[in-house]
Amino acid sequence: QEQLVESGGGVVQPGRSLRLSCAASGFTFSRYALHWVRQAPGKGLEWVARISYDGSKKYYTDSVRGRFTISRDDSKEMMYVQMSSLRPEDTAIYYCARGGSLGAAAVPLDPWGQGTLVTVSS
Amino acid sequence: SYVLTQPPSVSVAPGKPAMITCGGNNIGSKSVHWYQQKPGQAPVLVIYYDDERPSGIPERFSGSSSGNTATLTISRVEAGDEADYYCQVWDSSSDHWVFGGGTKLTVL
């Protein structure tokens, strides 16, 4: 079945870097956009970044632009987010989710992975 | 930036209907999606494109959208429906994907 699995979370000091991975299976990976969405402890969902199906377009929420870089490797059916200059407010569960096929943008995020926890603390 | 406003909480007795609203400027012109999130779990899509229901989602779940308000309705609430619910749209003017703040549904 269609599945996304995140990995790479952990505890990291402020100012350091971390890379999260998202492994996909059960669908034609190269046809779909992919998103990162995060959820701080006890808070709501916050969209973080999106990469288009062909990797040519990348979008970021304002608070991470310039610090986070989203990427994908279609040969491995993997998506990544490289997070640098991490701040305590980046502490959250990070979910990957599938977006629309080809160029479609106003489509639901489905399915979602189970999430990976990132804690930024000294 | 585009803002979606949800009530923080809604409480309803079992068997009664629950309505969760999502307010946004001219939201009726956008495609609205709704997600259910139970404690310790990832979000699950329950309504997409305003009023479409994914396979496996009970018919008790329905959606509507018009003007400045979208609404998720659960016709006969069950204890298992207790969860946080989020609305979401794509804001084409900023190319941002926006979530509402979430509504905690409590079944009394």
Side-chain angles (χ1 to χ4, degrees):
Chain A
Q1 76 277 22
E2 300 171 340
Q3 190 174 14
L4 297 167
V5 178
E6 304 90 339
S7 61
V11 179
V12 60
Q13 293 180 330
R16 303 299 291 263
S17 299
L18 195 66
R19 189 180 81 157
L20 305 182
S21 301
C22 172
S25 61
F27 62 94
T28 305
F29 183 81
S30 61
R31 289 178 57 90
Y32 289 90
L34 295 160
H35 297 260
W36 287 102
V37 177
R38 67 184 179 184
Q39 186 170 36
K43 302 298 185 182
L45 301 174
E46 179 188 23
W47 173 76
V48 174
R50 177 203 191 240
I51 186 166
S52 61
Y53 73 100
D54 60 0
S56 65
K57 296 181 181 179
K58 303 173 184 180
Y59 305 96
Y60 301 92
T61 193
D62 294 347
S63 63
V64 309
R65 186 177 297 112
R67 300 189 299 122
F68 288 16
T69 301
I70 191 172
S71 62
R72 64 189 295 157
D73 184 339
D74 288 1
S75 68
K76 297 180 180 179
E77 297 191 328
M78 296 287 293
M79 177 181 65
Y80 308 96
V81 61
Q82 178 70 42
M83 306 184 294
S84 61
S85 302
L86 282 163
R87 306 167 179 168
E89 54 264 36
D90 295 318
T91 294
I93 297 173
Y94 284 74
Y95 296 99
C96 63
R98 189 182 69 181
S101 64
L102 303 178
V107 300
L109 278 62
D110 181 61
W112 295 58
Q114 85 290 348
T116 188
L117 176 62
V118 173
T119 302
V120 183
S121 173
S122 54
Chain B
S1 59
Y2 194 79
V3 175
L4 294 174
T5 301
Q6 297 182 235
S9 63
V10 168
S11 299
V12 64
K16 298 298 186 182
M19 297 176 69
I20 298 173
T21 59
C22 175
N25 184 37
N26 199 24
I27 195 173
S29 68
K30 300 181 180 299
S31 295
V32 182
H33 314 300
W34 291 92
Y35 305 87
Q36 175 194 69
Q37 187 181 34
K38 296 182 178 180
Q41 298 184 19
V44 172
L45 181 69
V46 293
I47 292 290
Y48 63 102
Y49 294 136
D50 300 345
D51 58 6
E52 298 290 327
R53 197 174 51 251
S55 61
I57 300 301
E59 292 183 7
R60 301 181 293 104
F61 287 79
S62 63
S64 63
S65 183
S66 178
N68 293 320
T69 303
T71 304
L72 172 69
T73 301
I74 308 172
S75 59
R76 297 172 301 281
V77 168
E78 301 177 356
D81 298 331
E82 192 162 275
D84 294 325
Y85 292 85
Y86 296 89
C87 57
Q88 178 257 314
V89 302
W90 171 55
D91 177 27
S92 59
S93 65
S94 63
D95 272 323
H96 277 39
W97 284 257
V98 182
F99 287 93
T103 298
K104 181 177 181 59
L105 175 66
T106 299
V107 181
L108 300 171

